[in-house]
């Protein structure tokens, strides 16, 4: 329902004028109507000019803008158009390419929130299944119409049965505890079972029902390819491996040995399953179920000449930033101190609250503590199916550095 009118304080319309999609609660001067969490509202400047429409929430981000087109109807056509635009981008990034079987991809992100002008919505595709996640009540309330539009768009662009099921998974992502408790994960359309899907031709068995996030870390595809490129003849440590993505690329790239490490035994089980699926009984791979901080601290020097550090988001919000930076510094210091001469370190942060500069500083001070000569070979980020709206730089959350250590 859109019957509420939100008027902003003078001067607070400037960011919307630059198409930034968030209105903070402190910018709101007046509310006419009684908008409920997730309702569509229309936003006005202090001079009474209409600025656009968005989903209302009782949080510090009070409105997530859906449209800056005055008077636009937020109906099924709106969702169809937005999803079609998202799919066109992925097609133009060659993510649905099937001709090159060796590098086949049918794992990709179709909707990346603000980057696809759909704030609060994430949709990942695993073969014929879409996994949809709402991060706002507005998207939660629209889940059925979005799922139907999604099926239609796929049928029109890709043909019938290319998409067969839509699984909704927001029990862990809605903003408040009550909303999360009220939400049930489940299929909105069709049914599907775990099946083999491909990322750059590597086989994976993502578990959207039980796995973390939507079942797989879709955002490391390009960076995993770079690991493959550098892996030949190297001894690799993949720390925080989850389902083993980087390890599989390193094995395909001709690594002499790959050690995968995660503190979760479930993650290690999934990694081993993926190694078997792609390489059978692989003597080059070893699993280590251990805390990474502890492992890095006690591992001997010169054991590895390619180390990957891809920890979980150490800072979920700015308040814990300091501790997060200490964490990044700690693991990177160990890696710099112990990596063999000529070694290559891939180090990442996926915390949105940690800026590129913060992360770089933490890694620089870790390098300095080791006293070794360190050079930056690549500066990495998220792939093209996780686009960042130029008006919403907050959308750039994945940061990585590839460093050569003499
Ligand atoms: N690199 C992975 C994604 C990493 S997600 C990929 O490419 O798919 C982060 C992983 O870190 C999770 O699997 C989690 O179980 C693991 N983890 C969290 N804290 C850890 C710790 N202290 N030591 C080792 N692993 C940890």
């Amino acid at each position: 329902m859109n019957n509420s009118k939100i008027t902003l304080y003078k001067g607070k319309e400037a960011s919307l004028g630059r198409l930034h999609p968030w209105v903070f609660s402190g910018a709101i001067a007046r509310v006419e109507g009684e908008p409920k969490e997730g309702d569509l509202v229309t936003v006005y400047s202090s001079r009474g000019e209409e600025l656009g429409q968005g989903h209302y929430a009782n949080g510090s981000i009070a409105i997530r803008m859906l449209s800056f087109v005055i008077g636009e109807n937020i109906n099924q056509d709106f969702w169809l158009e937005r999803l079609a635009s998202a799919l066109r981008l992925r097609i133009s990034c060659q993510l649905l390419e099937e001709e090159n079987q060796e590098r086949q991809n049918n794992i990709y992100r179709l909707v990346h929130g603000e980057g696809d002008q759909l704030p609060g919505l994430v949709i990942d595709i695993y073969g014929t299944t879409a996994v949809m996640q709402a991060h706002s009540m507005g998207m939660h309330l629209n889940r059925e119409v979005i799922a139907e539009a999604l099926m239609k768009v796929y049928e029109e662009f890709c043909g019938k049965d290319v998409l067969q099921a839509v699984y909704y998974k927001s029990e862990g992502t809605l903003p408040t505890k009550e909303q999360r408790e009220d939400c049930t994960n489940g299929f909105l359309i069709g049914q599907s079972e775990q099946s083999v899907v491909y990322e750059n031709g590597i086989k994976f068995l993502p578990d959207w029902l039980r796995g973390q996030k939507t079942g797989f870390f879709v955002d490391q595809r390009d960076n995993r390819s770079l690991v493959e490129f550098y892996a030949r003849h190297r001894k690799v440590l993949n720390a925080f491996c989850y389902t083993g993505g980087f390890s599989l690329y390193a094995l395909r790239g001709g690594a002499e040995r790959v050690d995968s490490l995660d503190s979760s035994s479930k993650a290690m089980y999934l990694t081993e399953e993926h190694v078997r699926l792609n390489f059978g009984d692989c003597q080059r791979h070893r699993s280590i179920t251990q805390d990474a901080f502890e492992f890095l601290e006690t591992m001997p020097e010169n054991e590895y000449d390619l180390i990957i550090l891809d920890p979980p988001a150490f800072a979920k919000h700015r308040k814990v930033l300091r501790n997060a930076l200490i964490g990044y510094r700690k693991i990177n210091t160990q890696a710099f101190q112990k990596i063999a001469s000529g070694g290559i370190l891939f180090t990442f942060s996926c915390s949105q609250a940690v800026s590129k500069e913060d992360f770089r500083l933490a890694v620089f001070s870790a390098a300095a503590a080791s006293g070794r000569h360190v050079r930056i070979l690549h500066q990495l980020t998220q792939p093209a199916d996780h686009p960042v709206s130029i008006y919403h730089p907050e959308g750039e959350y994945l940061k990585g550095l590839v460093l050569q250590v003499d």
Side-chain angles (χ1 to χ4, degrees), residues 35-198:
K36 289 194 301 299
E37 183 88 7
D39 278 355
L40 196 62
V41 295
T42 306
V43 185
Y44 294 84
S45 73
S46 58
R47 290 189 301 274
E49 299 151 322
E50 189 176 331
L51 300 171
Q53 298 169 79
H55 283 148
Y56 185 78
N58 294 312
S60 96
I61 302 174
I63 304 164
R64 288 177 170 81
M65 298 301 290
L66 284 179
S67 171
F68 292 99
V69 176
I70 307 309
E72 181 162 21
N73 249 331
I74 311 295
N75 53 16
Q76 215 209 12
D77 282 349
F78 168 85
W79 299 108
L80 282 170
E81 192 280 316
R82 282 284 197 271
L83 294 170
S85 154
L87 183 54
R88 273 196 294 271
L89 173 68
R90 278 63 183 180
I91 292 172
S92 71
C93 296
Q94 316 236 333
L95 282 167
L96 285 84
E97 213 51 1
E98 277 179 20
E99 276 158 29
N100 183 357
Q101 289 291 328
E102 266 169 39
R103 310 289 300 183
Q104 190 190 351
N105 267 304
N106 56 13
I107 303 177
Y108 55 93
R109 176 153 294 189
L110 176 75
V111 173
H112 185 59
E114 286 81 357
D116 287 293
Q117 293 184 77
L118 290 167
L121 184 68
V122 163
I123 302 177
D124 287 338
I125 305 291
Y126 299 111
T128 54
T129 301
V131 182
M132 185 168 138
Q133 216 167 47
H135 293 256
S136 72
M137 201 58 187
M139 289 302 179
H140 174 70
L141 295 174
N142 282 283
R143 61 196 181 281
E144 307 270 353
V145 53
I146 296 171
E148 276 164 33
L150 188 60
M151 295 300 288
K152 270 204 179 142
V153 164
Y154 266 85
E155 196 170 326
E156 185 186 328
F157 280 71
C158 305
K160 216 171 157 47
D161 289 339
V162 170
L163 188 66
Q164 295 173 8
V166 181
Y167 183 68
Y168 184 64
K169 191 177 186 186
S170 302
E171 276 174 18
T173 58
L174 287 172
T176 71
K177 196 164 164 269
E178 296 75 48
Q179 292 164 5
R180 289 194 290 270
E181 280 169 5
D182 268 357
C183 169
T184 317
N185 292 342
F187 284 95
L188 295 174
I189 292 177
Q191 287 266 323
S192 62
E193 286 183 1
Q194 223 181 343
S195 59
V196 173
V197 284
Y198 296 86

Side-chain angles (χ1 to χ4, degrees), residues 212 217 220 224 240-243 245-246 261-264 267 290-293 310-312:
Q212 293 184 42
F217 285 78
Q220 289 285 25
R224 289 176 184 144
F240 307 93
C241 67
Y242 188 40
T243 59
F246 284 107
L261 178 143
D262 202 288
S263 55
S264 146
Q290 198 182 337
D291 177 80
F293 287 85
D310 183 24

Side-chain angles (χ1 to χ4, degrees), residues 315-322 352-355 358:
K316 291 249 157 63
H317 40 83
R318 299 278 314 171
K319 272 186 244 153
V320 289
L321 184 61
R322 216 182 91 82
Q352 194 167 42
V354 175
S355 71
D358 289 337

